[in-house]
């Protein structure tokens, strides 16, 4: 199905494409009322929609923000998007573009070609210098979430991951656990590295043996599959790199006749919406997911509207939420 | 040495170049297994490698598909989007636009103004005649999922909701439950009405008293809040309109010292990715979520590419998945 173009409107109205363009962009001064009416009638009759990308160049107020995230099926990321939608100001319209599987660069090029006004990038950026050069060239502001490294090019919204990892270690160790394991993904995002550093550093300072590390897929199934490598190891305390992995691991522990938390304590990370509904309810390090979405939106809009040219680093707090999957050994 | 071309593959397979192009671009649905095999065999035999640039030159320009869904935080919907992304053909690039909170009409107007090529609508459409007139006028093809009524204007992808509801009733009644309740949202989407009709009709035919109906928010919290109205009622079997409500209800039942399934059996609907990880694991009516995304994508691309002008109704099957939240009373 071919879309109606500005040429079709011009033909229908019997005027030039330039005339149609001027009239539809409210630049009517040099045209007669008759010409203006012919163009508007032709537009109405054919159902012509002006091309927003072109309009944006001329300063239309609608803003289009592209959001790049690794996955939508992890509620952590879908909640960030939901939060951005709920907190958007009324005077700025936003469309969320979410692409999932392709390479980051291809995604971004795609979004830029579609006239995006700004980007929120919540994925690992492989070549930050190249990306920054490309976006700077195309005058597209962007902010990054802490799934990527801080390269100093633009705003970063992060949580205190090191402190979060430390809190997880402190909680397990306070509960008397010394035989610890970390379930982590094959590929660590930048923020996860800090999370694990914080955990391990706290163990080191308190003379707790290095935690065993189990590598797996970053998913519920990954958590489930990781348990086979754990159950022969006399581990009593597990730090799962996120709630999804924790949920998968708990299911596998139950299937293998381990009681959580009676036999094994486990703590997750994120506090996704499902965490409090699990049975037992999941102890976790809460990230302020809603706040991350809200702040990311606020920062990118400031840049898109030209209200800020400085580079800000915003750090949000994490919080230990003790529920039912951890228990004192003593 | 001359490179093998698509013409060589067509000649070898004895089919048209267009057929080879469609089949190699995973747009196989309208070809017989025999034709598909001939083409794949010819490709293999000649060592043909599709030329990406050539594909782009032939006019397979970027397509932008808008997807309208009620919520992203329900994994049912985020999985549909993920599935569409995973199944998109290589020669057609797609960006998913997902807007959440605003009115449907505003969302759609917004997407159309941003140059969307086609729409997948998974929300209740209040004024289907108006919407159809608007989209027809602007030459934007669309398909609807069964969250909306079938108005005959365009393709609808639905599951057999009546049968799904019936299967849920049959399962509970086969297990000896006669004191039943349905937890449902304040506002029923079209497909949920059919689901409930199927459930109630099966109860009626088998002389089971009308199920009690508890109205609540369509969310995990809604399911949790609904339980207060249930626990004084001697209900032994609950049909939750979806898995999220079931998960919230189970959490509240446990908090109120009811054992699931020993005291109360509960069955959900959807089979979201979390269902099998719950403890107890959730018995549910599975919708083919992945298939819904795949088929919706296929249908809208057919329309966007002008390959189909007829209106199709596609019905996918549901399936009872018995896990641990239901138990025989006998």
């Amino acid at each position: 199905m071919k879309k109606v173009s500005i040429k079709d409107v011009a033909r229908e109205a019997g005027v030039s494409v330039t005339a149609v363009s001027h009239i539809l962009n409210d630049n009517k001064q040099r045209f007669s009322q008759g010409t203006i009416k012919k163009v508007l009638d032709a537009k109405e009759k054919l159902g012509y929609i002006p091309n927003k990308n072109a309009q944006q160049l001329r300063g239309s107020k609608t803003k289009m923000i592209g959001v790049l995230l690794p996955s939508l099926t992890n509620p952590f990321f879908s909640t960030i998007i939901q939060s951005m939608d709920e907190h958007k100001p009324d005077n700025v319209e936003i469309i969320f573009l979410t692409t999932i599987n392709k390479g980051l660069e291809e995604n971004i090029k795609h979004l830029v070609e579609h006239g995006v006004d700004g980007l929120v990038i919540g994925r690992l950026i492989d070549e930050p210098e190249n990306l920054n050069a490309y976006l700077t060239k195309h005058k597209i502001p962007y902010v990054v979430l802490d799934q990527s490294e801080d390269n100093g090019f633009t705003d970063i919204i992060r949580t205190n991951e090191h402190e979060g990892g430390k809190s997880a270690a402190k909680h397990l160790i306070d509960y008397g656990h010394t035989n610890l394991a970390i379930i982590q993904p094959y590929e660590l995002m930048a923020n996860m590295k800090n999370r694990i550093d914080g955990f391990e550093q706290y163990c080191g300072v308190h003379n707790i043996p290095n935690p065993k590390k189990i590598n797996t897929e970053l998913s519920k199934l990954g958590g489930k599959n990781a348990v086979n490598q754990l159950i022969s190891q006399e581990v009593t305390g597990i730090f799962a790199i996120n709630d999804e992995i924790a949920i998968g691991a708990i299911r596998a522990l139950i299937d293998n006749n381990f009681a959580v938390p009676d036999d094994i304590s486990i703590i997750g990370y994120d506090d996704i919406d499902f965490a409090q509904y699990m049975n037992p309810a999941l102890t976790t390090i809460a990230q302020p997911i809603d706040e991350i979405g809200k702040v990311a939106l606020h920062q990118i809009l400031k840049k898109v509207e030209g209200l800020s040219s400085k580079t800000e680093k915003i750090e949000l707090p994490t919080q230990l939420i003790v529920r039912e999957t951890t228990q004192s050994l003593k």
Side-chain angles (χ1 to χ4, degrees), chain A residues 33-194:
Chain A
Q33 286 306 314
T35 303
I36 293 170
K37 185 169 187 312
K38 270 194 283 186
V39 168
L40 295 181
D41 286 350
K43 170 183 183 256
E44 186 62 24
K45 180 178 169 195
L46 300 177
Y48 171 65
I49 306 272
N51 182 333
K52 275 287 165 187
N53 296 352
Q55 279 191 2
Q56 274 164 8
L57 291 175
R58 287 182 215 96
S60 150
K61 279 211 177 125
T62 301
K63 302 301 176 197
M64 192 154 121
I65 304 298
V67 185
L68 293 134
L69 298 172
S71 154
L72 274 184
T73 54
N74 182 345
F76 178 77
F77 293 112
S78 49
T79 303
I80 286 181
I81 292 196
Q82 190 98 21
S83 164
M84 292 180 76
D85 189 68
E86 281 166 11
H87 292 104
K88 72 182 174 351
D90 283 345
N91 66 332
V92 180
E93 277 198 277
I94 303 167
I95 288 184
F96 295 100
L97 311 194
T98 309
T99 59
I100 303 161
N101 264 331
K102 292 174 296 184
L104 183 67
E105 285 193 5
E106 192 189 343
N107 278 330
I108 286 175
K109 211 176 146 211
H110 206 93
L111 290 168
V112 169
E113 283 169 1
H114 275 91
V116 77
D117 295 293
L119 293 170
V120 176
I121 303 177
R123 287 171 51 168
L124 186 64
I125 300 171
D126 284 329
E127 300 183 345
E129 288 80 10
N130 289 350
L131 180 71
N132 187 63
Y134 174 81
L135 291 175
T136 303
K137 182 176 164 193
H138 290 91
K139 300 196 165 63
I140 308 293
Y142 68 109
V143 303
V144 298
L145 307 184
D146 66 359
Q147 284 72 27
S148 198
E149 305 270 358
D150 177 19
N151 296 286
F153 292 128
T154 189
D155 292 5
I156 184 162
I157 295 106
R158 48 162 53 146
T159 56
N160 192 332
E161 298 276 357
H162 197 271
E163 197 63 28
K166 189 180 140 185
S167 301
K170 180 175 188 307
H171 176 60
L172 290 173
I173 292 167
D174 284 352
Y175 270 9
H177 297 277
T178 55
N179 206 337
L180 304 176
I182 300 173
I183 309 181
Q184 64 183 33
Y186 294 118
E187 273 188 88
L188 286 172
M189 288 184 266
N191 55 338
M192 293 178 176
K193 280 184 202 151
N194 294 336

